[in-house]
Amino acid sequence: MFLSLVIPVYNRPDEVAELLESLSKQDYSMGFEVVIVEDGSANTCESVVLQYSDQLNTSYYYKENSGPGDSRNFGMQKAKGDYFIIFDSDCIIPRGYLTAVALQLEHNYADCFGGPDKALDSFSDIQKAINFAMTSFLTTGGIRGGSEKINKFQPRSFNMGLSKKAFAASGGFGNIHPGEDPDLSIRLWNLGFETKLYASAYVYHKRRIDWDKFSIQVNKFGKARPILNHWHPQYSKLTYFFPAVFIVGLAVSVVLVFFKIDFFFKLYSLYFVVLFVVATVQNKSLKIGWLSLVAVWKQFFGYGSGFITSFYKINILNQKPQEAFPELFFTK
């Protein structure tokens, strides 16, 4: 099967160099192309792409900035394959990735799939801590780590596959960001397509973000979820409320301590102790264990506070999403 790899880029030439280097080492023998879509970058990666033109079948397109979802759609419109694989530019792809995907498509076909992310030993301690927060069963239920046990998996666009047929029927990604990937999954379900988790098709997700950027990112994730629940209420789940309930419950547990009721605070303390132990053992580092606590707290607080703000504006004030959170929507 001929695969088209679609990668939107925004001011990240160094990331693209690492990504293309990893793709040049794939053991896949059936052929693939790499479609790079420069989304209005000032610091472009065209020269980097040219460096790999003799090793990879590459195409490079520059367009005005319109967001990652629209850039992925643009790339899929230009692609030649019948099946598209979408990466974020900050991913590094294991040598056997495409072969693993091809085997899954042959024996466990889905018109849309998602794969997990992992951390390389070469990643920084903060990157490893954020990876733990984003992938651990103790924090996200393992959604990004490959252990999600739900019937309807919502692929994430840092590592996602989509058939040409499903793209044509759905129109691809919408203009919300973040949230464009679960929105697409739900629309595909409504059209009768199936999504699956391919646990063997993992990537190394080298998130180049600091603590402040991570907090902003997860806050946007939290804001997006009530909007998606509003658009697709039949797929709303109680688990989406968990980070908001978590931070409210933590605040209440601290207040209750002053009234000599410390049971709930002890439960929270136990939870963070377990997180620390698991993160330390998993990464073989006490430092990363402590940093993982910082990452989990920022994840829960950022997502939870964003969720509460969005829920209030969308469900209580009945504001239109584009008016309540214009920063979450790209316009062409």
Side-chain angles (χ1 to χ4, degrees), residues 6 16 37 78 92 102 118 120 122 160 167 170 173 178 182 221 229 236-237 265 296 314:
V6 178
V16 173
V37 182
K78 298 292 185 181
I92 298 172
K118 298 184 180 183
L120 280 169
S122 59
M160 181 179 187
F167 172 63
S170 65
F173 295 94
F221 289 158
N229 292 345
S236 177
K237 297 191 299 183
F265 184 77
V296 170
I314 301 302

Short mmCIF file of all heavy atoms in Angstrom, two decimals, residues 6 16 37 78 92 102 118 120 122 160 167 170 173 178 182 221 229 236-237 265 296 314:
data_model
loop_
_atom_site.label_atom_id
_atom_site.label_comp_id
_atom_site.label_asym_id
_atom_site.label_seq_id
_atom_site.Cartn_x
_atom_site.Cartn_y
_atom_site.Cartn_z
N VAL A 6 1.46 13.19 5.88
CA VAL A 6 1.13 14.61 5.81
C VAL A 6 1.55 15.29 7.11
O VAL A 6 1.14 14.88 8.20
CB VAL A 6 -0.38 14.80 5.57
CG1 VAL A 6 -0.74 16.28 5.54
CG2 VAL A 6 -0.80 14.11 4.27
N VAL A 16 11.54 19.43 11.85
CA VAL A 16 11.35 18.74 10.57
C VAL A 16 12.60 17.95 10.20
O VAL A 16 12.51 16.84 9.67
CB VAL A 16 10.98 19.74 9.46
CG1 VAL A 16 10.94 19.06 8.10
CG2 VAL A 16 9.63 20.38 9.77
N VAL A 37 3.54 20.67 4.67
CA VAL A 37 2.71 21.86 4.44
C VAL A 37 3.16 22.95 5.40
O VAL A 37 2.95 22.86 6.61
CB VAL A 37 1.21 21.55 4.63
CG1 VAL A 37 0.39 22.80 4.35
CG2 VAL A 37 0.79 20.40 3.74
N LYS A 78 -3.48 17.33 -1.69
CA LYS A 78 -2.35 17.26 -2.61
C LYS A 78 -1.73 15.86 -2.67
O LYS A 78 -1.02 15.54 -3.63
CB LYS A 78 -1.26 18.25 -2.16
CG LYS A 78 -1.69 19.72 -2.16
CD LYS A 78 -1.93 20.22 -3.57
CE LYS A 78 -2.23 21.72 -3.57
NZ LYS A 78 -2.49 22.24 -4.94
N ILE A 92 9.28 11.92 16.29
CA ILE A 92 10.36 11.11 15.74
C ILE A 92 9.78 9.72 15.54
O ILE A 92 9.15 9.16 16.45
CB ILE A 92 11.58 11.07 16.68
CG1 ILE A 92 12.15 12.48 16.84
CG2 ILE A 92 12.65 10.13 16.14
CD1 ILE A 92 13.23 12.59 17.90
N ALA A 102 1.09 -0.90 8.23
CA ALA A 102 0.66 -1.70 7.07
C ALA A 102 0.11 -3.05 7.51
O ALA A 102 -0.91 -3.52 6.97
CB ALA A 102 1.83 -1.89 6.11
N LYS A 118 5.53 7.83 22.92
CA LYS A 118 6.48 7.44 23.95
C LYS A 118 7.61 8.47 24.00
O LYS A 118 7.66 9.38 23.17
CB LYS A 118 7.05 6.05 23.66
CG LYS A 118 6.01 4.93 23.65
CD LYS A 118 6.66 3.57 23.45
CE LYS A 118 5.62 2.46 23.45
NZ LYS A 118 6.25 1.11 23.33
N LEU A 120 11.83 9.08 24.18
CA LEU A 120 13.17 8.54 23.99
C LEU A 120 14.06 8.87 25.19
O LEU A 120 13.82 9.86 25.91
CB LEU A 120 13.79 9.13 22.73
CG LEU A 120 13.39 8.55 21.38
CD1 LEU A 120 13.89 9.44 20.26
CD2 LEU A 120 13.93 7.13 21.22
N SER A 122 16.83 10.16 25.08
CA SER A 122 17.51 11.43 24.81
C SER A 122 16.65 12.66 25.12
O SER A 122 17.15 13.78 25.10
CB SER A 122 17.94 11.49 23.34
OG SER A 122 16.81 11.36 22.48
N MET A 160 -1.80 9.81 13.53
CA MET A 160 -3.16 9.49 13.11
C MET A 160 -3.20 9.07 11.65
O MET A 160 -2.45 9.61 10.82
CB MET A 160 -4.06 10.73 13.31
CG MET A 160 -5.51 10.58 12.96
SD MET A 160 -6.38 12.15 13.29
CE MET A 160 -8.07 11.67 13.02
N PHE A 167 -11.68 10.73 4.33
CA PHE A 167 -11.41 12.17 4.17
C PHE A 167 -12.41 12.81 3.22
O PHE A 167 -12.96 13.89 3.51
CB PHE A 167 -9.98 12.37 3.66
CG PHE A 167 -9.66 13.78 3.29
CD1 PHE A 167 -9.69 14.79 4.23
CD2 PHE A 167 -9.34 14.12 1.97
CE1 PHE A 167 -9.41 16.11 3.89
CE2 PHE A 167 -9.05 15.43 1.62
CZ PHE A 167 -9.08 16.42 2.58
N SER A 170 -15.91 13.04 4.95
CA SER A 170 -16.01 13.92 6.13
C SER A 170 -15.59 15.35 5.86
O SER A 170 -15.98 16.27 6.60
CB SER A 170 -15.14 13.36 7.26
OG SER A 170 -13.76 13.39 6.90
N PHE A 173 -10.58 17.84 8.74
CA PHE A 173 -10.58 18.54 10.02
C PHE A 173 -11.37 19.85 9.94
O PHE A 173 -11.39 20.52 8.91
CB PHE A 173 -9.15 18.85 10.46
CG PHE A 173 -8.33 17.63 10.76
CD1 PHE A 173 -7.53 17.06 9.77
CD2 PHE A 173 -8.35 17.04 12.01
CE1 PHE A 173 -6.76 15.94 10.03
CE2 PHE A 173 -7.60 15.91 12.28
CZ PHE A 173 -6.80 15.36 11.29
N PRO A 178 -7.20 23.49 19.89
CA PRO A 178 -7.25 22.04 19.74
C PRO A 178 -8.70 21.54 19.75
O PRO A 178 -9.63 22.31 19.96
CB PRO A 178 -6.49 21.53 20.96
CG PRO A 178 -6.74 22.58 22.00
CD PRO A 178 -6.77 23.90 21.25
N PRO A 182 -10.70 14.93 17.92
CA PRO A 182 -11.90 14.22 18.38
C PRO A 182 -13.16 14.63 17.63
O PRO A 182 -14.06 13.80 17.43
CB PRO A 182 -11.99 14.58 19.87
CG PRO A 182 -11.11 15.76 20.06
CD PRO A 182 -10.06 15.67 19.02
N PHE A 221 -7.04 22.59 25.81
CA PHE A 221 -7.70 21.28 25.73
C PHE A 221 -8.97 21.29 26.58
O PHE A 221 -10.02 20.77 26.17
CB PHE A 221 -6.76 20.18 26.24
CG PHE A 221 -5.61 19.86 25.34
CD1 PHE A 221 -4.47 19.25 25.84
CD2 PHE A 221 -5.64 20.17 23.99
CE1 PHE A 221 -3.40 18.94 25.02
CE2 PHE A 221 -4.57 19.88 23.15
CZ PHE A 221 -3.45 19.26 23.67
N ASN A 229 -18.61 18.58 23.55
CA ASN A 229 -19.79 17.99 24.19
C ASN A 229 -21.06 18.68 23.73
O ASN A 229 -22.11 18.05 23.57
CB ASN A 229 -19.67 18.08 25.71
CG ASN A 229 -18.58 17.20 26.28
OD1 ASN A 229 -18.08 16.29 25.60
ND2 ASN A 229 -18.19 17.45 27.51
N SER A 236 -20.76 12.67 24.96
CA SER A 236 -20.22 13.24 26.19
C SER A 236 -20.11 12.14 27.25
O SER A 236 -20.97 11.27 27.35
CB SER A 236 -21.12 14.37 26.68
OG SER A 236 -20.65 14.88 27.91
N LYS A 237 -19.02 12.18 28.01
CA LYS A 237 -18.80 11.16 29.05
C LYS A 237 -18.45 11.84 30.38
O LYS A 237 -17.86 12.93 30.41
CB LYS A 237 -17.67 10.21 28.66
CG LYS A 237 -17.95 9.40 27.41
CD LYS A 237 -16.91 8.30 27.24
CE LYS A 237 -15.52 8.85 27.08
NZ LYS A 237 -14.51 7.78 26.84
N PHE A 265 -8.15 14.89 52.07
CA PHE A 265 -6.81 15.40 51.80
C PHE A 265 -5.80 14.26 51.80
O PHE A 265 -4.86 14.25 50.98
CB PHE A 265 -6.42 16.46 52.83
CG PHE A 265 -5.09 17.10 52.55
CD1 PHE A 265 -4.96 18.07 51.57
CD2 PHE A 265 -3.96 16.73 53.27
CE1 PHE A 265 -3.73 18.66 51.30
CE2 PHE A 265 -2.73 17.31 53.01
CZ PHE A 265 -2.63 18.28 52.03
N VAL A 296 1.75 16.79 36.20
CA VAL A 296 0.37 16.34 36.44
C VAL A 296 -0.46 17.45 37.06
O VAL A 296 -1.63 17.65 36.69
CB VAL A 296 0.37 15.09 37.35
CG1 VAL A 296 -1.05 14.75 37.79
CG2 VAL A 296 0.99 13.90 36.61
N ILE A 314 -20.44 28.14 27.75
CA ILE A 314 -21.19 27.44 26.71
C ILE A 314 -22.53 26.94 27.22
O ILE A 314 -23.57 27.08 26.55
CB ILE A 314 -20.37 26.26 26.16
CG1 ILE A 314 -19.04 26.76 25.58
CG2 ILE A 314 -21.17 25.49 25.10
CD1 ILE A 314 -19.17 27.77 24.47
#
